[in-house]
Each structure stands twice: as C-alpha cells, then as structure tokens.
C-alpha cells in the first residue's frame, strides 16, 4: 500500500517541471441551457467570474479571482450516481475513462447513511477523537513538487487552518507554495488506513473491495482552508470527493501543459493567468458534451467493423504523445460541493483551490487497465 501511494507521488513530482447523462448545464435534448440565462439555484450554471472587491483591514482590495465567491463556471459533464450506473452498469465508471466527470449523489442513494456517518466522523470537532491523543500529521508544501514536510499534532493543524492569516482562514495568491502547509498525501499510516476503512469507495470498476484488499486503490485524506490548494501537476487516474466545504478543480489534457510558476500554490495561477484566458464558447461546450456521448456509443459496442474498444483507448494514449502549446482558453473546471466527486483522467494536468474555511476531501488513486 505504501509503495503504491509513494509511486503516485514520485510520478506527480516528476511530471510537474445513448441517452446523454445530466450535464448540469444541458436540458433533456443535450442542449446547453446555461448559455443565455443564469439559474441562481444551479451552481453549474454559474456566471463568469467577476472581479469582486474584498476588505482587508479596512482597505479595499480587488482579487481577479475570488475564492469566496458563491458561483464559478462549470464546463465539465455532471451526472448523478444512479444515472452513471444506468449507463455503464452496476460496476460503475469504465476503466481509463478519457474525460473529467463530476458525479453527484442521489437524494435517496443506497450509500447515503455511509456518507453521512463519514461526514460526521470528519467534522472539525469529531475528527481528533478518531485518533490517539496528540496524533501527529505530516503536512506538505502546496507547490507543484510538494518539496517541504512539516509534522505537527492534528489538533494544532486544525487550529492553524481556521485562523490562517490573522484569523481570516485564507491563503492569499502571493504566498509561496513551499510556505503554505497542507494536509494531503501523507496519510498512509496504520492509523489513517484504519480510519479510511469508513470511507465508501467511488462507483468504478477499479474501486471494488477486492481492489481495496489488494492495495490496488490508494486513499488520501485532505484538509485545507480558503484559497489553499496544490499547484498544477499530473499523475494517474482517480476520484476526489468533497466531504465538507467546496473545492474548485481546473484541468487540461496531457498534451496541453499550462504555464505556471511551480513555486506558488494554485491560487497564484488563478489570480495571474486564469483571468486572461479565453472563455469557452458554445462550440466548446457542445464538443465537450459530444465527447462523452461518443465514448458511450463506443462503449456500448456500436463500433465500425474494424474498430474495437482497445482502438478507442489506444487513440487516447496516442493523444498523450502529442505536445501542444498551452491552451489560450480557460481550463475544464467545476466546483465540487459536499457529497460530490470528480473523476480526473489519467495524466491530465490539474490544480485545485479550496473554497471554504474547513474543506475536507478524500482522493482515491486507482489502478486501471483496459477492459
């Protein structure tokens, strides 16, 4: 188990230098319903990010990208847990799914009680009671390489998260990543392994009890404050579920490596690069929707006489070998709220920004093969 998760982080460090599902932004005909109007009750139909003034010690300060905003754009396909199982069967998401996907829970889901119990275990008040007194956690820097380590009591870290930056609980865009401490990744001790047995695995073919027993899936527990998050990086496929708070994800395909300063946390890129990139247009959104529909048709066996599923996956692998300039357009992005999870495809560049003072999440790094 330790070897698997260690390998994940080594890869991460080296990499740093048909009935369409509910998209959250599409109507029953697959048309984008968020183009001409904004639905205040649907975060997936968020208005474009605006420059919002905030007050800092009485002085007005304008961030170009404000992590305390209520709405953010979402251009990633959204699908309910039950719809995912209807489309792909009870085993869940196919291995090596080629695109990001947001999975949201059903109101009366079968594992609702398990999720509620785990959420209760991980509140700021209850979490310490699941571990020995003075249990210590290892923090990492938020730069791309996660170069620094710091070990402190869990209770101390929880306090620091809530009172960061003189009580604001916020990580600012000009803070160096190796000076911004973050609990994520270094959670593979026996105590963490026992605790994470309480977590219900994502719905995927590589997320079965057998995979857990054979250490073929590595779970990582994380806690962050507003504005914190790891700078751009890439690694193998997996899921990340938000347990408390909200977490914003930005992603690019493997061949579109973004420009970024690896010494800063992700909010630095959101402040200094993201606002100057082009917004997605209607064609971009339609192409994103069609890509999922095309995959589903092929998955269901609607191939040409010379095409196979391995051909489909081979084309995805070949795309990884094509180098392109950084995209001039904004990334694939979406905010993952409590109870929701995102699937991040194999070798996609991604960065994350936590949006609440106490943001808790679990990432599942999967071992996926063709089939």
């Amino acid at each position: 188990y330790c070897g698997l998760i260690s390998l994940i982080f080594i890869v991460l460090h080296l990499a740093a230098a048909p009935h369409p599902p509910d998209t959250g932004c599409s109507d029953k005909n697959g048309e984008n319903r968020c183009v001409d109007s904004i639905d205040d009750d649907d975060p997936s139909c968020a208005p474009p990010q605006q420059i919002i003034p905030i007050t800092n010690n009485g002085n007005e300060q304008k961030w170009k990208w404000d992590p305390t905003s209520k709405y953010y754009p979402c251009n990633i396909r959204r699908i309910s847990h039950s719809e995912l199982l209807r489309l792909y069967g009870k085993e869940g998401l196919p291995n090596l799914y080629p695109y990001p996907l947001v999975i949201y829970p059903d109101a009366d889901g079968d594992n609702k009680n398990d999720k509620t119990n785990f959420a209760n275990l991980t509140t700021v008040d209850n979490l310490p009671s699941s571990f020995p007194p003075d249990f210590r956690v290892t923090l990492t820097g938020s730069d791309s390489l996660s170069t620094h380590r710091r070990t402190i009591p869990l209770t101390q870290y929880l306090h620091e998260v809530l009172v960061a930056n003189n009580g604001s609980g916020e990580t600012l865009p000009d803070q160096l990543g190796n000076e911004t401490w973050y609990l994520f990744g270094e959670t593979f001790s026996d105590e963490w392994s026992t605790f994470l047995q309480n977590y219900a695995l994502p719905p995927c073919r590589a997320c079965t009890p057998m995979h857990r027993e054979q250490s073929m899936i590595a779970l990582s527990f994380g806690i962050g404050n507003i504005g914190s998050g790891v700078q751009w990086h890439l690694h193998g496929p997996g899921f990340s579920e938000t347990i408390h708070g909200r977490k914003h994800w930005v992603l690019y395909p493997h061949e579109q490596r973004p420009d970024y300063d690896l010494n800063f946390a992700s909010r630095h890129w959101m402040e200094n690069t993201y606002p100057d990139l082009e917004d997605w247009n209607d064609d971009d959104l339609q192409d994103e929707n069609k890509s999922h529909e095309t995959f589903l048709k092929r998955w269901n066996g609607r191939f040409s006489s010379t095409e196979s599923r391995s051909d489909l996956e081979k084309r995805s692998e070949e795309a990884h070998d094509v180098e392109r300039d950084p995209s001039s357009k904004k990334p694939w992005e979406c905010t993952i709220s409590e109870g929701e999870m995102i699937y991040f495809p194999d070798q996609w560049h991604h960065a994350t920004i936590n949006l609440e003072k106490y943001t808790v999440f679990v990432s599942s790094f999967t071992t996926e093969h063709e089939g």
Side-chain angles (χ1 to χ4, degrees):
Y1 180 88
C2 294
L4 175 60
I5 196 166
S6 298
L7 178 60
I8 289 169
F9 279 91
I10 290 172
V11 172
L12 184 156
H13 292 171
L14 291 176
H19 171 71
D22 178 13
T23 66
C25 279
S26 298
D27 60 20
K28 64 183 180 180
N29 297 316
E31 297 295 325
N32 180 30
R33 59 178 172 77
C34 298
V35 173
D36 298 320
S37 64
I38 298 298
D39 183 352
D40 290 337
D41 294 324
D42 188 350
S44 65
C45 289
Q49 181 66 38
Q50 302 294 320
I51 298 176
I52 302 173
I54 63 173
T55 299
N56 185 11
N57 297 326
N59 299 317
E60 187 179 83
Q61 189 171 19
K62 293 183 178 179
W63 298 123
K64 296 177 183 177
W65 194 88
D66 177 27
T68 65
S69 176
K70 181 180 179 182
Y71 293 120
Y72 304 90
C74 181
N75 52 25
I76 297 175
R77 173 66 62 95
R78 290 172 54 85
I79 183 173
S80 70
H81 184 275
S82 60
E83 181 71 354
L84 175 69
L85 301 185
R86 187 187 74 79
L87 293 177
Y88 291 107
K90 63 181 181 180
E91 292 179 323
L93 194 68
N95 288 346
L96 298 176
Y97 194 79
Y99 310 107
L101 190 68
V102 175
I103 304 168
Y104 60 88
D106 297 282
D108 54 351
D110 293 338
N111 60 350
K112 182 178 180 180
N113 289 337
D114 291 339
K115 288 185 175 292
T116 299
N117 291 338
F118 190 75
N120 289 336
L121 285 174
T122 54
T123 64
V124 68
D125 292 327
N126 291 341
L127 183 61
S129 64
S130 295
F131 298 92
D134 299 322
F135 179 70
R136 299 176 72 81
V137 295
T138 300
L139 313 179
T140 59
S142 297
D143 55 305
S144 278
L145 300 177
S146 299
T147 49
H148 290 64
R149 297 289 187 276
R150 177 184 176 217
T151 302
I152 62 174
L154 172 61
T155 51
Q156 179 181 339
Y157 177 66
L158 294 176
H159 176 73
E160 290 182 3
V161 163
L162 298 176
V163 301
N165 280 328
N166 299 318
S168 69
E170 183 174 353
T171 296
L172 302 179
D174 56 354
Q175 291 183 247
L176 288 171
N178 61 7
E179 298 174 354
T180 306
W181 299 109
Y182 196 39
L183 175 60
F184 175 65
E186 300 285 337
T187 55
F188 44 78
S189 66
D190 291 342
E191 291 89 349
W192 281 114
S193 296
T194 299
F195 177 72
L196 288 171
Q197 288 293 326
N198 297 293
Y199 177 70
L201 295 177
C204 84
R205 281 167 166 74
C207 306
T208 67
M210 181 272 290
H211 289 87
R212 174 176 254 167
E213 291 169 4
Q214 297 185 8
S215 299
M216 296 175 67
I217 183 168
L219 302 183
S220 185
F221 184 85
I223 301 174
N225 56 288
I226 301 173
S228 65
V230 177
Q231 182 61 291
W232 286 97
H233 59 281
L234 56 77
H235 45 66
F239 298 79
S240 185
E241 179 176 358
T242 301
I243 310 300
H244 298 287
R246 297 175 302 144
K247 190 178 187 74
H248 196 71
W249 280 71
V250 288
L251 309 95
Y252 280 114
H254 178 84
E255 65 274 13
Q256 294 180 359
R257 184 185 188 277
D259 281 333
Y260 58 91
D261 189 330
L262 57 83
N263 293 313
F264 286 90
S266 52
R267 190 176 172 189
H268 181 269
W269 188 88
M270 298 300 295
E271 180 70 15
N272 294 284
T273 301
Y274 176 91
D276 297 327
L277 298 173
E278 299 174 29
D279 291 326
W280 281 34
N281 57 35
D282 292 352
D283 290 339
D284 297 322
L285 293 170
Q286 291 174 8
D287 286 345
E288 205 278 338
N289 282 335
K290 289 178 181 177
S291 64
H292 294 273
E293 296 164 8
T294 299
F295 179 89
L296 180 59
K297 290 177 182 178
R298 287 173 173 154
W299 177 259
N300 285 333
R302 298 174 184 177
F303 307 109
S304 67
S305 58
T306 59
E307 187 175 42
S308 67
R309 288 179 184 172
S310 61
D311 293 329
L312 173 64
E313 283 148 356
K314 185 182 297 183
R315 285 198 299 274
S316 178
E317 291 175 0
E318 289 172 349
H320 288 176
D321 298 328
V322 179
E323 291 293 337
R324 301 180 190 170
D325 293 332
S327 176
S328 62
K329 295 210 169 184
K330 286 184 168 65
W332 278 253
E333 61 180 316
C334 200
T335 296
I336 312 303
S337 299
E338 292 181 1
E340 298 181 345
M341 66 178 68
I342 186 170
Y343 175 77
F344 45 88
D346 186 29
Q347 301 303 309
W348 273 54
H349 304 275
H350 57 277
T352 60
I353 309 92
N354 298 306
L355 304 178
E356 302 288 352
K357 206 168 186 178
Y358 183 66
T359 302
V360 176
F361 56 98
V362 175
S363 292
S364 304
F365 298 95
T366 53
T367 303
E368 301 184 22
H369 304 285
E370 290 185 10

